[in-house]
Amino acid sequence: MHNLTDSYTAKDISKICAAGRQVVALITDANTLLNTHRLFSFDNNVRDARESIDHITRSRYIQFPPSANRPFKADHQQFLESNAHDLMTWWEPEGAGELADYASKQWGGLQTSYYLPR
């Protein structure tokens, strides 16, 4: 990063671009590395959040009405997925703005799909 800041200060466009390419390569490599283990995979964690509704509805501590059918399950799966996204990226619902990127985490999948384009 030292080269990037020095290049920016010197307004040397060719060096800025070269340093930028190094940053992009680093982010891409980090994403590849993180995706080698399921516990560091964003997609796996979001899927686990969606599937946790099955554990919740079978809980002996939480009683759901008999009408807790497919629409109920789908609504709650969407809520759990949305909540997982918020916790892994913004920390609060999108648009609230106070804690944007407070929960910035290093997850495989987020590096190239969420952080790199920014």
Side-chain angles (χ1 to χ4, degrees), residues 32-111:
T32 301
L33 178 63
L34 289 163
N35 274 323
T36 63
H37 195 286
R38 75 171 304 282
L39 292 179
F40 296 112
S41 167
F42 177 76
D43 291 338
N44 281 336
N45 280 280
V46 170
R47 186 181 62 248
D48 289 349
R50 281 188 70 80
E51 292 174 358
S52 69
I53 191 66
D54 292 329
H55 299 289
I56 294 169
T57 56
R58 289 193 306 258
S59 172
R60 63 181 180 176
Y61 302 108
I62 302 172
Q63 297 299 313
F64 289 94
S67 63
N69 54 21
R70 188 168 292 280
F72 170 88
K73 184 176 179 179
D75 288 346
H76 284 75
Q77 281 179 314
Q78 181 59 40
F79 168 77
L80 292 168
E81 180 177 343
S82 177
N83 196 41
H85 277 266
D86 290 343
L87 290 172
M88 290 184 221
T89 56
W90 287 80
W91 193 256
E92 62 184 344
E94 190 169 341
E98 295 296 319
L99 297 173
D101 285 339
Y102 175 78
S104 176
K105 304 224 177 26
Q106 305 305 308
W107 293 96
L110 278 184
Q111 302 305 305

